[in-house]
Amino acid sequence: EAQVTQNPRYLITVTGKKLTVTCSQNMNHEYMSWYRQDPGLGLRQIYYSMNVEVTDKGDVPEGYKVSRKEKRNFPLILESPSPNQTSLYFCASSLSRYTGELFFGEGSRLTVL
Amino acid sequence: TQLLEQSPQFLSIQEGENLTVYCNSSSVFSSLQWYRQEPGEGPVLLVTVVTGGEVKKLKRLTFQFGDARKDSSLHITAAQPGDTGLYLCAGGVSNSGYALNFGKGTSLLVTP
């Protein structure tokens, strides 16, 4: 089954404790992206990757890091999480940056205390 | 970043009613997509429209792309509780730094 898998789905952590949210897709997609979704603010892009070893900032990259060492994986790293990073995070992938349909993971709800 | 305004923000209707939600921008998009997001899940693509004036139908859902490719509408006929969810529009600009820009969504609740 074609899918984007994120882990963990739920996480409560404390300020400053590094964490990684993993994302993996099995569709051989070149393009992958991370979004955060907040009430009243909608979906905002954090980082995206056009292909392996190619990443770029989205609208709200501050406080986040990403890497794309393999085509299928695109982890989101919070080096020193803060309460304002409490959010619902979505990983998405697409065949290419410009072909349209984004396939989303089920989301990771992160709470930073 | 090209801004997409969706209206209404919230909509609560009864089963069987018709409704229309709107997605407007001052920017021209090369394509526009509509997604539906159900609670606890990620958005799922419903349709992509690429031609000004284009109309696409998906069962009881009718999508229209404005002639100038700056706006779009989603019309649902005889809404059902299963239509409940957050409807997101996303505009694509082929030469921009971002593949898609999302509106904030219309939250639809259909009660039996």
Side-chain angles (χ1 to χ4, degrees):
Chain A
E1 180 189 354
Q3 58 186 3
V4 177
T5 303
Q6 298 179 224
N7 280 295
R9 293 287 314 278
Y10 302 91
L11 179 63
I12 300 175
T13 189
V14 295
T15 299
K17 186 176 182 181
K18 181 180 178 180
L19 69 93
T20 299
V21 186
T22 63
C23 174
S24 181
Q25 51 93 4
N26 63 0
M27 296 168 279
N28 201 36
H29 284 170
E30 291 189 347
Y31 180 82
M32 297 186 74
S33 181
W34 276 102
Y35 292 87
R36 60 179 289 174
Q37 187 175 39
D38 302 288
L41 297 176
L43 275 168
R44 294 180 293 167
Q45 191 178 48
I46 303 171
Y47 268 95
Y48 64 95
S49 170
M50 300 275 284
N51 211 325
V52 176
E53 302 294 358
V54 181
T55 63
D56 209 345
K57 297 177 181 179
D59 291 312
V60 288
E62 294 78 20
Y64 305 94
K65 288 174 60 176
V66 293
S67 69
R68 188 92 181 272
K69 294 185 171 62
E70 305 166 282
K71 198 171 189 178
R72 63 184 292 129
N73 296 322
F74 191 42
L76 179 70
I77 303 156
L78 285 73
E79 293 272 4
S80 182
S82 62
N84 64 12
Q85 292 179 297
T86 292
S87 186
L88 179 59
Y89 291 88
F90 287 100
C91 179
S93 72
S94 178
L95 199 58
S96 82
R97 180 181 180 186
Y98 300 118
T99 55
E101 180 176 8
L102 279 172
F103 292 82
F104 284 84
E106 293 184 307
S108 296
R109 185 166 292 282
L110 171 65
T111 300
V112 183
L113 301 175
Chain B
T1 302
Q2 292 78 22
L3 292 177
L4 283 153
E5 301 287 338
Q6 289 190 242
S7 61
Q9 189 176 358
F10 301 99
L11 191 55
S12 180
I13 62 171
Q14 291 198 315
E15 184 175 4
E17 293 184 29
N18 301 331
L19 66 114
T20 302
V21 299
Y22 300 93
C23 175
N24 296 297
S25 175
S26 58
S27 301
V28 175
F29 293 101
S30 56
S31 67
L32 197 135
Q33 300 178 349
W34 285 93
Y35 290 79
R36 179 168 66 208
Q37 182 179 10
E38 297 184 20
E41 298 182 11
V44 176
L45 181 70
L46 295 173
V47 76
T48 300
V49 286
V50 297
T51 305
E54 182 176 3
V55 176
K56 281 192 174 180
K57 292 191 175 183
L58 185 66
K59 297 183 181 178
R60 294 175 293 100
L61 278 61
T62 301
F63 304 86
Q64 184 161 10
F65 201 13
D67 290 340
R69 306 208 314 276
K70 293 183 178 181
D71 55 86
S72 181
S73 63
L74 159 59
H75 181 79
I76 302 179
T77 303
Q80 299 178 359
D83 296 325
T84 292
L86 179 68
Y87 289 82
L88 296 160
C89 66
V93 181
S94 61
N95 295 319
S96 81
Y98 308 99
L100 285 175
N101 296 298
F102 282 87
K104 294 180 182 179
T106 292
S107 182
L108 172 64
L109 174 64
V110 183
T111 53

